[in-house]
Amino acid sequence: MNEYDMQKGVLMNNFQKFYFDITGFRDEMKGAVKHYQVTIKELERFKGSAGYDEEMKKAETTYRTETEAIRALYSERLSKRKEDCLAVLRTHRDPLPTPEQIAALQALKLLDKPTKAQITDLMPQMKDCPLTMAALRDTALQHGYLGVVPDTEGDTAWARERTEDMFKAAQKFVHDLDNVGDTGDHVSNHAWSLFRLDHDYANAEECVSQFCAGTDVQMLEKFINIAE
């Protein structure tokens, strides 16, 4: 079934679906917490009376049941979202090296000890192909040039790893979050992942970037961000 942004009446892409899952979870948890707090406040008037303890236990049980149901719902949604993203990712094929790129790498290998400049000068020619960038990085490492050629980004292996990281963080968020929006509580309890992730996000890209620990969102969306 296709999913729509009800406010705009348009199909949502995978980033937007993820964003709506995260914001939907936080909103429902806020509602459950608010209802529980109102109930507790009303019961406080009867503290010390017969049945007070029993009613408090009922309220606690109702709250736990409700929040567990919310967690289960959004955990399932995120699992589906992850599979949707990985399915899109499986359709991608990394670009193959061009004859010119292959020739340049072969010429570099003929040198007994290429200079750092000879390696870095080839980076602009190789940057559009993850395979050639990886080969250039390997050559640099073989000759002791550490960190000269950056790790490969923008290939399917990179996108799969970042996608897995994003949904792992999201599932932990859904499992652990209780006090929605209470960053002071997160800090006092050393729940740094909740402190980092529990925010009112302005848009889908900001949300994805935070759950991907600041990854290149524009690069990642080329792999998994399509509207269905």
Side-chain angles (χ1 to χ4, degrees), residues 137-184:
R137 184 178 67 254
D138 289 344
T139 299
L141 293 174
Q142 288 171 9
H143 292 283
Y145 301 126
L146 303 179
V148 171
V149 181
D151 289 341
T152 303
E153 290 189 350
D155 61 356
T156 53
W158 171 85
R160 186 176 296 105
E161 181 179 352
R162 305 312 293 139
T163 300
E164 294 279 359
D165 288 346
M166 178 173 75
F167 282 98
K168 182 179 180 180
Q171 289 286 5
K172 188 176 188 303
F173 181 74
V174 166
H175 182 270
D176 291 347
L177 184 65
D178 282 316
N179 299 322
V180 183
D182 189 350
T183 54

Side-chain angles (χ1 to χ4, degrees), residues 97-118:
T98 64
E100 292 77 14
Q101 289 172 326
I102 293 173
L105 287 171
Q106 289 176 336
L108 187 66
K109 286 184 176 296
L110 294 175
L111 300 176
D112 291 334
K113 180 65 176 179
T115 64
K116 185 185 297 185
Q118 287 172 322

Side-chain angles (χ1 to χ4, degrees), residues 32-48:
V33 170
K34 184 177 181 180
H35 181 262
Y36 175 63
Q37 289 174 339
V38 169
T39 301
I40 294 301
K41 187 175 182 180
E42 291 176 349
L43 288 173
E44 283 296 322
R45 295 182 300 157
F46 305 102
K47 190 173 184 179

Side-chain angles (χ1 to χ4, degrees), residues 75-127:
S75 178
E76 182 179 355
R77 287 186 179 180
L78 286 166
S79 293
K80 179 185 181 301
R81 213 63 75 207
K82 176 182 174 181
E83 290 307 313
D84 288 345
C85 291
L86 292 178
V88 174
L89 185 56
R90 284 192 288 270
T91 67
H92 283 272
R93 297 292 180 271
D94 292 333
L96 296 175
T98 64
E100 292 77 14
Q101 289 172 326
I102 293 173
L105 287 171
Q106 289 176 336
L108 187 66
K109 286 184 176 296
L110 294 175
L111 300 176
D112 291 334
K113 180 65 176 179
T115 64
K116 185 185 297 185
Q118 287 172 322
I119 291 174
T120 56
D121 285 349
L122 287 178
M123 285 174 57
Q125 183 180 347
M126 304 297 170
K127 68 178 183 178

Side-chain angles (χ1 to χ4, degrees), residues 41-67:
K41 187 175 182 180
E42 291 176 349
L43 288 173
E44 283 296 322
R45 295 182 300 157
F46 305 102
K47 190 173 184 179
S49 64
Y52 169 78
D53 290 341
E54 183 178 351
E55 290 301 317
M56 287 290 285
K57 287 180 181 178
K58 285 182 180 178
E60 174 72 17
T61 299
T62 298
Y63 170 69
R64 292 302 172 192
T65 300
E66 184 176 356
T67 54

